[in-house]
C-alpha cells in the first residue's frame, strides 16, 4: 500500500513537473492564475494545521483523476511535494468526492441538493473523530470545480478553518467562442496563432490542450466553440471532425463540451445539394445525417453556433426564410442528441436604417418562434463590442426566447493586445443593465440566467483572447479578462473589483503592496480607454479593416454603416447620432422607463450622450461645461490615466518578477503613445469639422489632420481574411 502510494506520488510529481514546464519559464505568464508558487513558512504552517493528506475514491473517473492531479500539482508547487492520498480518513485530511464515489461522504447527508449539477461545497467538518476539510458535489465536475476553489484559497493564503462555502453557477452554458480559422490564424486574435494545431491533430494531442482545459475548468467555463463564426464548411468534413473529436476527448475530463460554428451553406459545399433552403427536406436530412455522424464520434457534442445573413455569411434569408426557419431546422437535427443551436443576432445590412436598430427589428417579430433547443446569442450592445455601448434592446424584448449574452474578451476595439484594459467593469455594466422588461430589477443578468422569463436554457459566451503566445492572451493583464469572464459566467452578479483582487493575488501573489495598486490600475483602465478613444457616447471611430487606431474622418467605405462619420455625424453645427424619437427612434426599442431616460437630454447619462443625441458643440452637459470643452477634457484625462498607470506600475518594479514586469511596462508605453495618438487625431478632426479653436489649457495635436489620415497599418494583427 505504502509502496503504491509512494509510486503514485513519484509519478504525480514527475507529471506535474512536465506539465508546468521548466522553472526557467516560471514567470513568463504561462501558468496563468494557476501558478501554485511556494508558500511562505506561515502559510505552510496554516495549511499543515488543516490538511496533511487526501482522501479520495480509489477507482476514479477521468474527472476525479484530474481533480487529484490538480491537487498534486498544486501541493507540489506550494509545498514542494504532493500530499499523500488514499481511501482512508486521516486526521486533518482533505476529503474529495461525491456521495456516489465515496461512502464516507454519503453518510454525512450533506445538503447537496442546492448545488445542482456543477456546484460544490467546501466545509470544515468533524468526521469519525477526525478534523476534515471536505470538497463535495453531486458530480465529479462539481468536485473538480471545488478543488480549484480550495487550491485558490490556499494560494491566496485565506483562512482554512471553519469553512462553509457553497457555490453553484447561475448560468448553464458558459462558453468561449474561438474565432480560430483552419489555417491557424485567429480573427481578431492578438495572442499569436490558434491554440488548435489542426495540422497535427488528431495524432498529436499537444499538452497545451490539457492546460487550456485546466484553465477553463478552474474558472468554470464548460464549453468551447472551436472555430470562427465566419465558418469554413470544411470543419464538417470527416478529416476535421476527427480532429474535433480528439480535442473533445482531451477536454471531456474537465467538463468542457466542444461546439462548432457552422456555415449555413455547408450542404451545398460539402454535399451535392443545389440549395441550403432550410425548408427543403433534402437539406434538413443532410444536416440530420451530419449531426448523427458528429454524435457518433463525440457523444457529448454541445451543438452549433451560427452566424447567418450577417456580414456576407449565407443564411436562411437567401431563400426568403426567416432566422427561425434556419435555426429550427438545425435544432431538429441536434435535438435527438441533446445539442443546442446558438443563433447569433448580430445582423445588419439595410443601408437606410440605423444599424443600432436592425437586430431588434429582425428578431423581435420572431419571439416565440424558435425551437426549444435554440438560444439567441446577442452581443452586449446594439452595434459591435465598442468600448462603451448601451445594452442591446433585444435583452428586454424577447420574452419567449432564451438569450445568451455575447461579450468580447479579445480587445478588438479596446487597444487589442497591448492596452491595459480590464474588462470586468464593462462586463459588469452589461450584466447589471436594467431592461425594465418586467419592471425595475430586470437586469440583463436575470435575462440570461433564465430567471426573468423562466427559460430552460441559460448562457453566456465570450470571444476568446487565447493564442499560442507563451502568456496565452498576449499580455499578463489580458489574462484577467479571460479570468473575469469565467467568474461572471459562473456568477453574473460577481463584483469586478473583487474579481480583480482575486486575479491579482493569484497572478502576482497575495501581497498587499502589489494587490492594491494593481487593482486600482485595473479598475480605472477601461474608462481610460473610453476617454481617450470614444468619450461621451461616441463609437466606431477606429481604423478601417484592422480596427486599429483612430479614423473618425473615414467616410468613403462601401456601406454607410462601416464609416466612422456615420456614427459621429460631426459637422459645423454639432456632433452625435440622433436616436431619439425625432431621430432614428432607436430609443423606442427599449422599455418605456429606459426609452425616456435615453430620449431626454435632461436624463440621458453623459456617458451615452452622443450615442443617443446630436447636440451643438456648445451644448452644456450636466456638469455645466460645454460639450466641446468636455470632449477635450475626456481625451486628455484618458491620456493622463495611462500615464498614471505607467507611474503606478513603475513603483512595482522591486516586487514583480522581471519578465512580466518588463512586458507590462513596455505595453503601457505603447498604450500611452496610442492614447496620445487617439487624442490628437480625434481632436485634429473635430477642430477641422467644427471650426472651433482648441479649448484653452489642452495640448494642440502634434500633427495636422493630413498626417493622421495618411497613416496606414497593413500588417496589423487579427484582421479578417
Ligand atoms: C467574426 C465584428 C468583427 C468581425 C467579426 C464580427 C462578428 O464585425 O470585426 O471580425 O467576425 O464582428 O462578430 O461576427
Amino acid at each position: 500500500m505504502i509502496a503504491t502510494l509512494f509510486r503514485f506520488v513519484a509519478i504525480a510529481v514527475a507529471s506535474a513537473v512536465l506539465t508546468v514546464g521548466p522553472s526557467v519559464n516560471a514567470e513568463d505568464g504561462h501558468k496563468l492564475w494557476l501558478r501554485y508558487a511556494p508558500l511562505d513558512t506561515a502559510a505552510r504552517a496554516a495549511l499543515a494545521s488543516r490538511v496533511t493528506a487526501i482522501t479520495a475514491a480509489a477507482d476514479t473517473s477521468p474527472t476525479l483523476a484530474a481533480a487529484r492531479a490538480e491537487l498534486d500539482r498544486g501541493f507540489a508547487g506550494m509545498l514542494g511535494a504532493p500530499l499523500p492520498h488514499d481511501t482512508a480518513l486521516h486526521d486533518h485530511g482533505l476529503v474529495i468526492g461525491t456521495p456516489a464515489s465515496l461512502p464516507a461522504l454519503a453518510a454525512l447527508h450533506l445538503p447537496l441538493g442546492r448545488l445542482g449539477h456543477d456546484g460544490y461545497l467546501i466545509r470544515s467538518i468533524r468526521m469519525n473523530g477526525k478534523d476534515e476539510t471536505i470538497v463535495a458535489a453531486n458530480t465529479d465536475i462539481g468536485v473538480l470545480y471545488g478543488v480549484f476553489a480550495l487550491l485558490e484559497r490556499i494560494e491566496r493564503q485565506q483562512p482554512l478553518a471553519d469553512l462553509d462555502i457553497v457555490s453553484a453557477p447561475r448560468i448553464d452554458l458558459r462558453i468561449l467562442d474561438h474565432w480560430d480559422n483552419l489555417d491557424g490564424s485567429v480573427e481578431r486574435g492578438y495572442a499569436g496563432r490558434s491554440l488548435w494545431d489542426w495540422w497535427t491533430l488528431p495524432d498529436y494531442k499537444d499538452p497545451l490542450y490539457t492546460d487550456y482545459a485546466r484553465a477553463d475548468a478552474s474558472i468554470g467555463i464548460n464549453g468551447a466553440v472551436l472555430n470562427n463564426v465566419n465558418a469554413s464548411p470544411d470543419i464538417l468534413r470527416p478529416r476535421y471532425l476527427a480532429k474535433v473529436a480528439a480535442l473533445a476527448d482531451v477536454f471531456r475530463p474537465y467538463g468542457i463540451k466542444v461546439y462548432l460554428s457552422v456555415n449555413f451553406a455547408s450542404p451545398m459545399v460539402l454535399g451535392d445539394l443545389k440549395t441550403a433552403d432550410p425548408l427543403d427536406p433534402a437539406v434538413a436530412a443532410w444536416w440530420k445525417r451530419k449531426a448523427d455522424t458528429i454524435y457518433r464520434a463525440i457523444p457529448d457534442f454541445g451543438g452549433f453556433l451560427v452566424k447567418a445573413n450577417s456580414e456576407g455569411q449565407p443564411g436562411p434569408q437567401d431563400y426568403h426564410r426567416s432566422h427561425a426557419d434556419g435555426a429550427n431546422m438545425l435544432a431538429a437535427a441536434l435535438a435527438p442528441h441533446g445539442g443546442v443551436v446558438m443563433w447569433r443576432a448580430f445582423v445588419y445590412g439595410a443601408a437606410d436604417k440605423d444599424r443600432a436598430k436592425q437586430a431588434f427589428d429582425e428578431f423581435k417579430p420572431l419571439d416565440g418562434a424558435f425551437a426549444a433547443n435554440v438560444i439567441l446569442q446577442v452581443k452586449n450592445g446594439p452595434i459591435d463590442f465598442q468600448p462603451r455601448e448601451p445594452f442591446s434592446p433585444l435583452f428586454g424584448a424577447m420574452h419567449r426566447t432564451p438569450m445568451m449574452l455575447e461579450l468580447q474578451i479579445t480587445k478588438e476595439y479596446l487597444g487589442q493586445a497591448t492596452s491595459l484594459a480590464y474588462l470586468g467593469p464593462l462586463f459588469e455594466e452589461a450584466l447589471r443593465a436594467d431592461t425594465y422588461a418586467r419592471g425595475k430589477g430586470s437586469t440583463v443578468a436575470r435575462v440570461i440566467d433564465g430567471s426573468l422569463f423562466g427559460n430552460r436554457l441559460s448562457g453566456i459566451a465570450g470571444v476568446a483572447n487565447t493564442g499560442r503566445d507563451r502568456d496565452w492572451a498576449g499580455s499578463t493583464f489580458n489574462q484577467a479578462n479571460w479570468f473575469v469572464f469565467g467568474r461572471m459566467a459562473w456568477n453574473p452578479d460577481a463584483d469586478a473589483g473583487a474579481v480583480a483582487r482575486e486575479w491579482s493575488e493569484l497572478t502576482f501573489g497575495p501581497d498587499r503592496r502589489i494587490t492594491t495598486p494593481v487593482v486600482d490600475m485595473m479598475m480605472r483602465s477601461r474608462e481610460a480607454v473610453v476617454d481617450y478613444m470614444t468619450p461621451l457616447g461616441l463609437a466606431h471611430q477606429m481604423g478601417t479593416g484592422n480596427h486599429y487606431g483612430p479614423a473618425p474622418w473615414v467616410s468613403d467605405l462601401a456601406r454607410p454603416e462601416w464609416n466612422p462619420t456615420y456614427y459621429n455625424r460631426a459637422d459645423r453645427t454639432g456632433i452625435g447620432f440622433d436616436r431619439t424619437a425625432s431621430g432614428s427612434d432607436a430609443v423606442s426599442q427599449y422599455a418605456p422607463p429606459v426609452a425616456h431616460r435615453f430620449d431626454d437630454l435632461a436624463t440621458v447619462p453623459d456617458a451615452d450622450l452622443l450615442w443617443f443625441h446630436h447636440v451643438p458643440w456648445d451644448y452644456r452637459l450636466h456638469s455645466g461645461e460645454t460639450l466641446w470643452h468636455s470632449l477635450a477634457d475626456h481625451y486628455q484625462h484618458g491620456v493622463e490615466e495611462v500615464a498614471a498607470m505607467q507611474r503606478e506600475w513603475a513603483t512595482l518594479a522591486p516586487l514583480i518578477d522581471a519578465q512580466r514586469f518588463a512586458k507590462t511596462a513596455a505595453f503601457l508605453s505603447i498604450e500611452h503613445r496610442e492614447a496620445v495618438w487617439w487624442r490628437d487625431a480625434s481632436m485634429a478632426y473635430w477642430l477641422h469639422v467644427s471650426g472651433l479653436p482648441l479649448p484653452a489649457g489642452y495640448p494642440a495635436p502634434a500633427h495636422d489632420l493630413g498626417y493622421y489620415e495618411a497613416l496606414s497599418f497593413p500588417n496589423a494583427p487579427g484582421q479578417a481574411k
Side-chain angles (χ1 to χ4, degrees), residues 377-676:
Q377 183 165 304
V378 183
K379 290 189 182 183
N380 58 292
I383 303 273
D384 192 9
F385 299 138
Q386 296 300 296
R388 169 165 286 120
E389 294 189 36
F391 68 92
S392 165
L394 275 171
F395 287 113
M398 305 287 281
H399 297 206
R400 290 177 298 141
T401 307
M403 278 175 293
M404 61 196 290
L405 171 64
E406 181 175 344
L407 297 165
Q408 196 180 46
I409 308 171
T410 189
K411 305 199 312 296
E412 174 180 359
Y413 300 105
L414 285 99
Q416 305 184 352
T418 46
S419 71
L420 196 165
Y422 171 54
L423 300 179
L426 190 161
F427 297 170
E428 192 177 76
E429 201 171 284
L431 286 159
R432 294 186 184 180
D434 197 342
T435 68
Y436 277 81
R438 290 261 158 94
K440 194 168 164 43
S442 304
T443 59
V444 170
R446 294 190 56 222
V447 174
I448 64 159
D449 74 6
S451 63
L452 190 70
F453 300 126
N455 296 322
R456 193 179 59 81
L457 293 178
S458 59
I460 185 166
V463 179
N465 63 355
T466 49
R468 282 195 169 243
D469 279 8
R470 274 299 289 173
D471 61 17
W472 298 84
S475 84
T476 305
F477 280 88
N478 289 338
Q479 296 175 355
N481 293 329
W482 182 4
F483 185 86
V484 70
F485 171 76
R487 285 287 184 258
M488 290 189 176
W490 185 274
N491 173 14
D493 290 332
D495 178 77
V499 177
R501 175 162 299 104
E502 202 183 346
W503 174 81
S504 175
E505 291 184 359
L506 294 169
T507 302
F508 299 117
D511 178 339
R512 220 176 305 150
R513 294 169 304 164
I514 300 174
T515 312
T516 305
V518 161
V519 171
D520 179 63
M521 289 167 64
M522 290 169 75
M523 292 304 288
R524 290 158 60 179
S525 59
R526 178 272 188 140
E527 203 59 37
V529 173
V530 172
D531 277 346
Y532 69 69
M533 286 189 182
T534 46
L536 295 168
L538 286 171
H540 212 286
Q541 299 300 293
M542 68 287 162
T544 304
N546 53 33
H547 295 173
Y548 174 65
W553 49 81
V554 170
S555 62
D556 58 355
L557 303 179
R559 289 166 61 138
E561 75 285 353
W562 285 349
N563 291 299
T565 53
Y566 168 92
Y567 297 92
N568 66 52
R569 309 210 160 199
D571 59 18
R572 207 78 178 169
T573 65
I575 181 170
F577 199 125
D578 184 359
R579 296 192 165 102
T580 66
S582 48
S584 79
D585 200 25
V587 290
S588 66
Q589 296 181 334
Y590 292 95
V594 185
H596 293 148
R597 184 158 49 91
F598 289 151
D599 191 54
D600 189 345
L601 273 171
T603 51
V604 67
D606 283 350
D608 296 316
L609 176 67
L610 302 178
W611 184 282
F612 288 110
H613 296 265
H614 185 85
V615 290
W617 296 98
D618 62 359
Y619 174 76
R620 292 215 176 259
L621 303 179
H622 300 308
S623 63
E625 66 180 340
T626 65
L627 170 73
W628 179 224
H629 186 273
S630 183
L631 264 182
D633 198 58
H634 274 85
Y635 287 116
Q636 179 60 13
H637 185 249
V639 171
E640 285 168 6
E641 284 286 273
V642 181
M645 288 199 286
Q646 286 184 287
R647 287 193 299 275
E648 217 162 351
W649 184 251
T651 66
L652 294 172
L655 301 174
I656 307 268
D657 43 282
Q659 197 170 331
R660 291 188 302 172
F661 177 82
K663 186 166 180 181
T664 298
F667 277 18
L668 280 168
S669 74
I670 294 172
E671 183 175 6
H672 187 260
R673 191 172 64 229
E674 292 180 351
V676 168

Side-chain angles (χ1 to χ4, degrees), residues 38-171:
L39 296 176
D40 62 23
T41 316
R44 291 170 81 99
L47 178 60
S49 72
R50 290 284 148 195
V51 176
T52 52
I54 298 165
T55 306
D59 293 327
T60 53
S61 68
T63 300
L64 280 180
R68 283 158 46 144
E70 199 62 34
L71 287 169
D72 289 338
R73 191 178 286 114
F75 289 126
M78 292 189 285
L79 299 175
L83 295 177
H85 38 100
D86 55 31
T87 54
L89 286 183
H90 303 266
D91 207 10
H92 300 141
L94 170 60
V95 184
I96 67 161
T98 61
S101 64
L102 209 58
L105 284 177
L108 291 175
H109 302 293
L110 294 162
L112 301 183
R114 54 195 163 138
L115 301 182
H117 187 273
D118 289 356
Y120 59 83
L121 174 152
I122 304 177
R123 203 179 254 194
S124 310
I125 208 162
R126 222 172 143 70
M127 220 165 138
N128 299 350
K130 298 180 166 66
D131 280 324
E132 309 286 358
T133 302
I134 60 169
V135 176
N138 292 314
T139 60
D140 293 348
I141 188 65
V143 176
L144 179 63
Y145 291 148
V147 159
F148 275 116
L150 182 71
L151 284 168
E152 176 193 305
R153 219 180 152 78
I154 298 169
E155 277 194 277
R156 296 178 66 200
Q157 302 184 14
Q158 295 189 323
L160 297 172
D162 304 324
L163 298 180
D164 189 7
I165 299 167
V166 173
S167 186
R170 292 241 310 269
I171 295 178

